[in-house]
Each structure stands twice: as C-alpha cells, then as structure tokens.
C-alpha cells in the first residue's frame, strides 16, 4: 500500500488516513472512493476520488467553505429491493455511486457517469466493495424517510436519476 492511502476493511481505498471511508469499490482496474472528514462529530468535508493508488484522476470535494454539495436518493428496484444513490454534478457530467439492497438486486454496487441523458460509463463494483456507511445519510425506504447527517449532502429526489437503466429494473418499478 502506498503512503497516504488508507485500507478499508474490504480492500483498498483512495481515502486518506484521516478520512473515514463512506463508499469504496474497485471498478475494472481503478478505484472509486467517497471519503468523509469529521471534526467534533460534524462532517466538514466529503470527497469523491477516482483513479488508482498513488494517482487520482478525478476529484470533487464538498466543504462547508466552498458551497459544493452531494445529492442522495433512494429508488425502488422491484418488490424486494431498493437502490441507494449518492452523486454530484461536475460541469455537464453526473458521477453517481449506487448500492442495491434486497433479494432482487442484479448487483450490489456500482459507478455510473452521465453526460446529460447519455450513460458514458456504468461499471459494477468488484467483490471487495465497501458500500455506504451512515456517516452522511441513514438511508430508509425513500429519500423523505432518510435522515441526513450533514448539510454537505441534500435530497435529490426531485432530480430523478433513471436507475432502471443502470440496474435493468423492469419499467413497472
């Protein structure tokens, strides 16, 4: 492991040692990580990183000072599953981390990149994924029933990501 990188319980991450791992997973030969910095039980920074150990290719940080935020939502994925989503927009691109919970999930977690309505990348996480913890959101069955833990993340329920294309969910859901 390279200096300056932490290791999560389930594998490697791009989070720094002083950061808590909120989400991290291997996608192909790279990693996607969502990292949280806390001070006095308050989240002061959320950082998305994508790349390989020692070389971050894409980074987005939301802090109390810079006014940037992340968004979240929960969507049904059939009768026995739901999809948790956390994302941010950077220029015309949307970077969305997902986690599917329940019996009807075709895969556990992934990373999707949109450019307007077009999906540019939709990658499933490898087996050593560390999925969402409760540092940012206590997810429930919907965004309205979920509990936010910081002002650096906001409900994106009104934005409406099309998770049916990502998880191959039947249109009825």
């Amino acid at each position: 492991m390279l200096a300056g990188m932490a290791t999560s319980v389930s594998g490697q991450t791009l989070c720094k040692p002083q950061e808590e791992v909120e989400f991290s997973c291997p996608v192909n030969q790279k990693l996607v990580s969502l990292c949280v910095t806390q001070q006095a039980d308050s989240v002061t920074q959320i950082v998305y990183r994508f790349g390989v150990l020692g070389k971050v290719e894409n980074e987005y940080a939301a802090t109390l000072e810079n006014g940037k935020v992340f968004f979240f939502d929960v969507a049904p994925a059939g009768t026995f599953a739901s999809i948790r989503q956390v994302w941010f927009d950077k220029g015309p691109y949307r970077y969305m981390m997902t986690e599917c919970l329940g019996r009807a999930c075709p895969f556990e977690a992934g990373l999707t990149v949109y450019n307007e309505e077009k999906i540019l990348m939709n990658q499933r996480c490898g087996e050593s994924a560390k999925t969402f913890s409760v540092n940012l959101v206590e997810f429930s069955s919907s965004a309205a029933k979920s509990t936010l833990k910081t002002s650096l993340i906001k409900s994106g329920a009104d934005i409406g990501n099309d998770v049916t294309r990502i998880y191959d969910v039947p249109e009825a859901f």
Side-chain angles (χ1 to χ4, degrees):
M1 183 173 72
L2 297 175
M5 296 296 162
T7 299
S8 72
V9 173
S10 59
Q12 297 176 325
T13 179
L14 296 174
C15 295
K16 296 178 180 177
Q18 69 274 17
E19 297 171 331
E20 295 181 39
V21 180
E22 176 64 20
F23 178 95
S24 194
C25 78
V27 286
N28 292 331
Q29 301 299 314
K30 299 186 180 187
L31 292 168
V32 57
S33 297
L34 188 63
C35 313
V36 174
T37 302
Q38 295 195 47
Q39 292 180 354
D41 295 331
S42 177
V43 174
T44 58
Q45 178 175 271
I46 306 170
V47 180
Y48 163 94
R49 293 187 183 99
F50 178 80
V52 295
L53 291 176
K55 184 178 180 196
V56 173
E57 296 173 21
N58 190 6
E59 183 173 271
Y60 177 87
T63 67
L64 298 173
E65 294 79 29
N66 71 13
K68 295 179 182 178
V69 295
F70 283 78
F71 296 93
F72 85 99
D73 196 8
V74 180
T79 306
F80 299 106
S82 64
I83 300 169
R84 298 171 173 182
Q85 311 152 54
V86 173
W87 74 88
F88 65 94
D89 294 327
K90 189 174 181 182
Y93 302 101
R94 174 164 295 163
Y95 299 84
M96 184 170 62
M97 294 151 283
T98 60
E99 170 186 30
C100 189
L101 297 175
R103 295 187 304 201
C105 294
F107 58 94
E108 181 182 12
L111 173 66
T112 302
V113 179
Y114 290 94
N115 181 350
E116 297 174 10
E117 295 297 316
K118 184 177 180 186
I119 295 176
L120 302 176
M121 182 176 96
N122 187 27
Q123 293 292 318
R124 296 177 181 191
C125 290
E127 291 183 21
S128 63
K130 182 206 180 295
T131 53
F132 297 117
S133 70
V134 295
N135 289 320
L136 303 177
V137 179
E138 277 187 40
F139 286 98
S140 188
S141 58
S142 69
K145 294 179 180 178
S146 299
T147 304
L148 291 173
K149 301 287 190 97
T150 174
S151 61
L152 296 176
I153 190 163
K154 308 233 181 264
S155 173
D158 58 335
I159 295 173
N161 293 316
D162 186 4
V163 294
T164 59
R165 291 188 299 162
I166 299 166
Y167 278 86
D168 297 322
V169 176
E171 290 295 322
F173 298 102

